[in-house]
């Protein structure tokens, strides 16, 4: 038990195909990796009341899913936006976020420019979207779609849990 190596630094195997999973660092169910996926998705600006009309210059989303853990990267550049109401949402997440408040996902913004009054400081992953918030000096406040302006650019990453 645990005495035989499969390959070495000078004699590596090319590909490994498994019908189940692989146990890493132990044999318990918590050590089994049986789900890994990478892909693209299309992020879209939305509103909880009504959706804004948005023209996109760049609309890119990438994701990595390992088990129930999802990491997404987003880049959105818009040329124009009008209308919309309620809280500003980023929709189209590739997997539904867990609604457990103890496992709430968080988005961290790396770059933002062109918002009308205030750009988002962070987001919360809920269901199939990210709710966008900013710090108003005394507390967190929800952003509205009216904050999207011509030339708005946003680059950020988010991590969340899914049950899918």
């Amino acid at each position: 038990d645990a005495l035989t190596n499969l390959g070495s630094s000078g004699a590596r195997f090319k590909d490994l195909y498994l019908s189940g999973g692989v146990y890493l660092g132990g044999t318990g169910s918590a050590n089994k990796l049986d789900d890994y996926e990478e892909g693209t998705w299309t992020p879209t600006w939305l509103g909880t009341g009504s959706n804004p009309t948005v023209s996109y210059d760049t609309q890119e989303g990438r994701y990595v899913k390992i088990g129930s853990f999802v990491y997404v990267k987003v880049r959105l550049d818009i040329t124009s936006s009008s209308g919309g109401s309620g809280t500003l949402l980023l929709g189209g997440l590739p997997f539904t976020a867990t609604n457990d408040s103890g496992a709430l996902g968080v988005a961290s913004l790396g770059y933002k420019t062109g918002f009308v009054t205030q750009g988002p400081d962070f987001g919360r992953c809920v269901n199939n979207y990210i709710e966008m918030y900013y710090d108003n000096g005394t507390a967190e406040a929800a952003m509205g779609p009216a904050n999207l302006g011509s030339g708005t650019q946003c680059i950020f990453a988010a991590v969340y849990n899914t049950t899918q």
Side-chain angles (χ1 to χ4, degrees):
D1 183 32
L3 297 175
T4 305
N5 291 326
L6 181 62
S8 66
S9 62
R12 299 174 296 160
F13 287 85
K14 183 180 177 303
D15 293 314
L16 178 63
Y17 298 91
L18 302 172
S19 61
V22 61
Y23 289 89
L24 302 171
T27 58
S29 62
N31 297 82
K32 185 177 181 182
L33 174 61
D34 60 355
D35 184 13
Y36 179 89
E37 183 179 335
E38 293 184 37
T40 61
W41 60 288
T42 304
T44 307
W45 287 119
L46 306 170
T48 55
S50 64
N51 295 331
T53 301
V54 180
S55 296
Y56 298 92
D57 187 38
T58 305
Q59 194 176 10
E60 299 173 352
R62 296 191 147 302
Y63 72 87
V64 175
K65 180 178 181 287
I66 303 171
S68 64
F69 174 80
V70 182
Y71 168 78
V72 295
K73 297 186 297 183
V74 176
R75 178 174 178 178
L76 289 169
D77 299 347
I78 66 174
T79 54
S80 66
S81 175
S82 63
S85 64
T87 299
L88 180 64
L89 306 174
L90 181 85
L93 289 176
F95 301 94
T96 301
T98 304
N99 286 330
D100 176 6
S101 61
L104 207 61
V106 177
S108 175
L109 279 87
Y111 179 76
K112 60 184 177 182
T113 187
F115 287 88
V116 174
T117 56
Q118 173 70 41
D121 292 319
F122 67 95
R124 287 195 190 111
C125 302
V126 179
N127 296 320
N128 284 18
Y129 52 82
I130 300 173
E131 299 172 334
M132 304 308 277
Y133 291 89
Y134 70 96
D135 183 350
N136 69 8
T138 58
E140 62 187 42
M143 291 190 61
N147 280 324
L148 294 174
S150 296
T152 296
Q153 296 177 319
C154 199
I155 300 172
F156 63 93
V159 291
Y160 65 95
N161 288 308
T162 184
T163 57
Q164 296 175 306

